[in-house]
Amino acid sequence: MKVVLQRSKAASVTVDGKVTGAIDSGYVLLVGITHEDTQEDVEYLAKKVANLRLWEDADKKMNHSILEHGGAILSVSQFTLYGDAKKGNRPSFTSAARPEIAEPLWEAFNNALREFGLRVETGIFGAMMDVALTNDGPITILLESK
């Protein structure tokens, strides 16, 4: 499982002209799921996201988690994180989990974040989405469960 985490000042997802999720300060998470991922991967990355210290303290050091700082999560399913472009010019997505595997794990990941007390907004699984964000920092971190 891969998560691209971007700290943001504001973000939203729009599908077919309708906003499906929007946050002010918080994290935008692009979430990719592969065939081998399990509930263990979900729990590991949800805990990592919730506790990662990416918010400044009084000394301007990144010592606070989103739980301490406050903020929300905008979670977007992103199978293209498992695109392999090593050969040729067209990426292969064979490492990305099929929707019947990926969607329940993505939903479980979002629910695991909610169990930490975080507000989680989402895009729509499998839809063409327009994601808008104002990156804060910019701070972007790649997290992987394996």
Side-chain angles (χ1 to χ4, degrees):
M1 192 168 173
K2 294 181 185 179
V3 173
V4 175
L5 179 155
Q6 295 181 295
R7 194 175 81 175
S8 66
K9 292 182 179 183
S12 65
V13 172
T14 304
V15 177
D16 294 328
K18 181 181 179 224
V19 174
T20 64
I23 64 167
D24 290 323
S25 179
Y27 296 152
V28 173
L29 306 179
L30 304 178
V31 182
I33 297 167
T34 192
H35 309 292
E36 298 87 28
D37 290 334
T38 65
Q39 186 64 31
E40 237 177 63
D41 298 284
V42 164
E43 291 169 13
Y44 170 80
L45 282 178
K47 182 177 179 181
K48 180 65 77 175
V49 167
N51 291 297
L52 201 59
R53 297 184 308 170
L54 295 177
W55 300 92
E56 290 83 8
D57 63 14
D59 295 325
K60 302 289 185 199
K61 294 189 185 205
M62 285 196 262
N63 276 327
H64 294 294
S65 71
I66 193 168
L67 298 171
E68 297 162 310
H69 173 78
I73 303 275
L74 179 61
S75 176
V76 179
S77 64
Q78 187 77 38
F79 78 93
T80 60
L81 290 178
Y82 279 99
D84 182 355
K86 289 177 188 158
K87 294 181 182 177
N89 294 316
R90 181 182 304 148
S92 168
F93 298 105
T94 58
S95 293
R98 304 258 331 132
E100 58 272 13
I101 294 168
E103 186 173 13
L105 286 173
W106 177 64
E107 290 174 358
F109 175 69
N110 295 331
N111 287 332
L113 290 167
R114 289 180 182 110
E115 288 175 9
F116 282 99
L118 294 164
R119 183 172 67 89
V120 179
E121 298 281 322
T122 67
I124 296 176
F125 186 90
M128 289 295 294
M129 295 175 270
D130 295 326
V131 180
L133 76 121
T134 301
N135 199 304
D136 183 11
I139 293 173
T140 302
I141 305 288
L142 176 61
L143 303 171
E144 295 185 80
S145 61
K146 303 275 191 252

